[in-house]
PDB file of all heavy atoms in Angstrom:
ATOM      1  N   VAL A 438      12.073  -4.300  -2.188  1.00 97.00           N
ATOM      2  CA  VAL A 438      13.297  -3.921  -2.889  1.00 97.00           C
ATOM      3  C   VAL A 438      14.254  -5.110  -2.921  1.00 97.00           C
ATOM      4  O   VAL A 438      14.893  -5.419  -3.950  1.00 97.00           O
ATOM      5  CB  VAL A 438      13.899  -2.651  -2.300  1.00 97.00           C
ATOM      6  CG1 VAL A 438      15.342  -2.410  -2.872  1.00 97.00           C
ATOM      7  CG2 VAL A 438      13.033  -1.448  -2.461  1.00 97.00           C
ATOM      8  N   ALA A 439      14.484  -5.703  -1.735  1.00 97.00           N
ATOM      9  CA  ALA A 439      15.361  -6.867  -1.750  1.00 97.00           C
ATOM     10  C   ALA A 439      14.855  -8.025  -2.574  1.00 97.00           C
ATOM     11  O   ALA A 439      15.728  -8.552  -3.284  1.00 97.00           O
ATOM     12  CB  ALA A 439      15.432  -7.363  -0.216  1.00 97.00           C
ATOM     13  N   THR A 440      13.566  -8.294  -2.637  1.00 97.00           N
ATOM     14  CA  THR A 440      13.045  -9.361  -3.416  1.00 97.00           C
ATOM     15  C   THR A 440      13.174  -8.978  -4.903  1.00 97.00           C
ATOM     16  O   THR A 440      13.612  -9.935  -5.688  1.00 97.00           O
ATOM     17  CB  THR A 440      11.513  -9.512  -3.133  1.00 97.00           C
ATOM     18  OG1 THR A 440      11.350  -9.809  -1.728  1.00 97.00           O
ATOM     19  CG2 THR A 440      10.935 -10.701  -3.984  1.00 97.00           C
ATOM     20  N   SER A 441      12.963  -7.800  -5.269  1.00 96.00           N
ATOM     21  CA  SER A 441      13.153  -7.364  -6.674  1.00 96.00           C
ATOM     22  C   SER A 441      14.556  -7.473  -7.130  1.00 96.00           C
ATOM     23  O   SER A 441      14.827  -7.903  -8.248  1.00 96.00           O
ATOM     24  CB  SER A 441      12.555  -5.946  -6.879  1.00 96.00           C
ATOM     25  OG  SER A 441      11.216  -5.828  -6.449  1.00 96.00           O
ATOM     26  N   LEU A 442      15.517  -7.110  -6.299  1.00 96.00           N
ATOM     27  CA  LEU A 442      16.910  -7.209  -6.666  1.00 96.00           C
ATOM     28  C   LEU A 442      17.328  -8.658  -6.835  1.00 96.00           C
ATOM     29  O   LEU A 442      18.054  -9.034  -7.761  1.00 96.00           O
ATOM     30  CB  LEU A 442      17.716  -6.578  -5.584  1.00 96.00           C
ATOM     31  CG  LEU A 442      17.712  -5.002  -5.621  1.00 96.00           C
ATOM     32  CD1 LEU A 442      18.411  -4.421  -4.365  1.00 96.00           C
ATOM     33  CD2 LEU A 442      18.298  -4.451  -6.883  1.00 96.00           C
ATOM     34  N   VAL A 443      16.859  -9.540  -5.942  1.00 95.00           N
ATOM     35  CA  VAL A 443      17.158 -10.988  -6.014  1.00 95.00           C
ATOM     36  C   VAL A 443      16.609 -11.546  -7.346  1.00 95.00           C
ATOM     37  O   VAL A 443      17.272 -12.299  -8.061  1.00 95.00           O
ATOM     38  CB  VAL A 443      16.620 -11.754  -4.792  1.00 95.00           C
ATOM     39  CG1 VAL A 443      16.713 -13.228  -5.061  1.00 95.00           C
ATOM     40  CG2 VAL A 443      17.349 -11.373  -3.572  1.00 95.00           C
ATOM     41  N   LEU A 444      15.372 -11.246  -7.715  1.00 94.00           N
ATOM     42  CA  LEU A 444      14.806 -11.700  -8.920  1.00 94.00           C
ATOM     43  C   LEU A 444      15.468 -11.130 -10.124  1.00 94.00           C
ATOM     44  O   LEU A 444      15.622 -11.785 -11.227  1.00 94.00           O
ATOM     45  CB  LEU A 444      13.292 -11.465  -8.920  1.00 94.00           C
ATOM     46  CG  LEU A 444      12.420 -12.325  -7.976  1.00 94.00           C
ATOM     47  CD1 LEU A 444      11.011 -11.802  -7.925  1.00 94.00           C
ATOM     48  CD2 LEU A 444      12.476 -13.707  -8.390  1.00 94.00           C
ATOM     49  N   LEU A 445      15.814  -9.821 -10.080  1.00 94.00           N
ATOM     50  CA  LEU A 445      16.532  -9.321 -11.224  1.00 94.00           C
ATOM     51  C   LEU A 445      17.894  -9.979 -11.393  1.00 94.00           C
ATOM     52  O   LEU A 445      18.306 -10.215 -12.536  1.00 94.00           O
ATOM     53  CB  LEU A 445      16.793  -7.765 -10.888  1.00 94.00           C
ATOM     54  CG  LEU A 445      17.648  -6.902 -11.893  1.00 94.00           C
ATOM     55  CD1 LEU A 445      16.887  -6.964 -13.276  1.00 94.00           C
ATOM     56  CD2 LEU A 445      17.957  -5.488 -11.453  1.00 94.00           C
ATOM     57  N   LEU A 446      18.592 -10.297 -10.289  1.00 94.00           N
ATOM     58  CA  LEU A 446      19.876 -10.997 -10.454  1.00 94.00           C
ATOM     59  C   LEU A 446      19.710 -12.383 -11.073  1.00 94.00           C
ATOM     60  O   LEU A 446      20.473 -12.800 -11.931  1.00 94.00           O
ATOM     61  CB  LEU A 446      20.473 -11.062  -9.032  1.00 94.00           C
ATOM     62  CG  LEU A 446      21.783 -11.901  -8.972  1.00 94.00           C
ATOM     63  CD1 LEU A 446      22.895 -11.270  -9.829  1.00 94.00           C
ATOM     64  CD2 LEU A 446      22.305 -12.028  -7.490  1.00 94.00           C
ATOM     65  N   ILE A 447      18.651 -13.058 -10.611  1.00 92.00           N
ATOM     66  CA  ILE A 447      18.383 -14.392 -11.135  1.00 92.00           C
ATOM     67  C   ILE A 447      18.025 -14.320 -12.567  1.00 92.00           C
ATOM     68  O   ILE A 447      18.388 -15.097 -13.453  1.00 92.00           O
ATOM     69  CB  ILE A 447      17.283 -15.118 -10.394  1.00 92.00           C
ATOM     70  CG1 ILE A 447      17.695 -15.388  -8.916  1.00 92.00           C
ATOM     71  CG2 ILE A 447      16.860 -16.416 -10.971  1.00 92.00           C
ATOM     72  CD1 ILE A 447      16.590 -15.916  -8.007  1.00 92.00           C
ATOM     73  N   GLY A 448      17.237 -13.237 -12.930  1.00 90.00           N
ATOM     74  CA  GLY A 448      16.845 -13.115 -14.416  1.00 90.00           C
ATOM     75  C   GLY A 448      18.057 -12.818 -15.197  1.00 90.00           C
ATOM     76  O   GLY A 448      18.078 -13.305 -16.355  1.00 90.00           O
ATOM     77  N   MET A 449      19.002 -11.975 -14.719  1.00 90.00           N
ATOM     78  CA  MET A 449      20.168 -11.656 -15.563  1.00 90.00           C
ATOM     79  C   MET A 449      21.083 -12.904 -15.691  1.00 90.00           C
ATOM     80  O   MET A 449      21.708 -13.117 -16.753  1.00 90.00           O
ATOM     81  CB  MET A 449      20.880 -10.563 -14.910  1.00 90.00           C
ATOM     82  CG  MET A 449      20.284  -9.213 -14.964  1.00 90.00           C
ATOM     83  SD  MET A 449      21.289  -7.765 -14.529  1.00 90.00           S
ATOM     84  CE  MET A 449      21.621  -8.096 -12.847  1.00 90.00           C
ATOM     85  N   ILE A 450      21.117 -13.705 -14.638  1.00 89.00           N
ATOM     86  CA  ILE A 450      21.873 -14.976 -14.781  1.00 89.00           C
ATOM     87  C   ILE A 450      21.279 -15.855 -15.779  1.00 89.00           C
ATOM     88  O   ILE A 450      21.992 -16.548 -16.586  1.00 89.00           O
ATOM     89  CB  ILE A 450      22.001 -15.681 -13.371  1.00 89.00           C
ATOM     90  CG1 ILE A 450      22.865 -14.807 -12.398  1.00 89.00           C
ATOM     91  CG2 ILE A 450      22.595 -17.062 -13.501  1.00 89.00           C
ATOM     92  CD1 ILE A 450      22.864 -15.314 -10.984  1.00 89.00           C
ATOM     93  N   ALA A 451      19.974 -16.019 -15.736  1.00 85.00           N
ATOM     94  CA  ALA A 451      19.226 -16.770 -16.775  1.00 85.00           C
ATOM     95  C   ALA A 451      19.501 -16.267 -18.190  1.00 85.00           C
ATOM     96  O   ALA A 451      19.682 -17.054 -19.081  1.00 85.00           O
ATOM     97  CB  ALA A 451      17.742 -16.834 -16.416  1.00 85.00           C
ATOM     98  N   ALA A 452      19.465 -14.945 -18.297  1.00 83.00           N
ATOM     99  CA  ALA A 452      19.727 -14.309 -19.661  1.00 83.00           C
ATOM    100  C   ALA A 452      21.155 -14.625 -20.162  1.00 83.00           C
ATOM    101  O   ALA A 452      21.394 -14.882 -21.246  1.00 83.00           O
ATOM    102  CB  ALA A 452      19.433 -12.842 -19.626  1.00 83.00           C
ATOM    103  N   ALA A 453      22.031 -14.506 -19.202  1.00 83.00           N
ATOM    104  CA  ALA A 453      23.389 -14.794 -19.490  1.00 83.00           C
ATOM    105  C   ALA A 453      23.697 -16.271 -19.964  1.00 83.00           C
ATOM    106  O   ALA A 453      24.468 -16.590 -20.856  1.00 83.00           O
ATOM    107  CB  ALA A 453      24.339 -14.504 -18.314  1.00 83.00           C
ATOM    108  N   GLY A 454      22.894 -17.164 -19.328  1.00 79.00           N
ATOM    109  CA  GLY A 454      22.938 -18.566 -19.704  1.00 79.00           C
ATOM    110  C   GLY A 454      22.401 -18.783 -21.140  1.00 79.00           C
ATOM    111  O   GLY A 454      22.713 -19.808 -21.776  1.00 79.00           O
ATOM    112  N   LYS A 455      21.616 -17.918 -21.645  1.00 74.00           N
ATOM    113  CA  LYS A 455      21.121 -18.009 -23.009  1.00 74.00           C
ATOM    114  C   LYS A 455      21.928 -17.238 -24.010  1.00 74.00           C
ATOM    115  O   LYS A 455      21.578 -16.944 -25.151  1.00 74.00           O
ATOM    116  CB  LYS A 455      19.619 -17.523 -23.074  1.00 74.00           C
ATOM    117  CG  LYS A 455      18.680 -18.466 -22.241  1.00 74.00           C
ATOM    118  CD  LYS A 455      17.296 -17.975 -22.313  1.00 74.00           C
ATOM    119  CE  LYS A 455      16.569 -18.277 -23.625  1.00 74.00           C
ATOM    120  NZ  LYS A 455      16.314 -19.768 -23.763  1.00 74.00           N
TER     121      LYS A 455
END
Side-chain angles (χ1 to χ4, degrees):
V438 170
T440 303
S441 301
L442 287 173
V443 170
L444 287 173
L445 178 63
L446 177 62
I447 295 174
M449 290 193 297
I450 293 174
K455 295 177 79 65

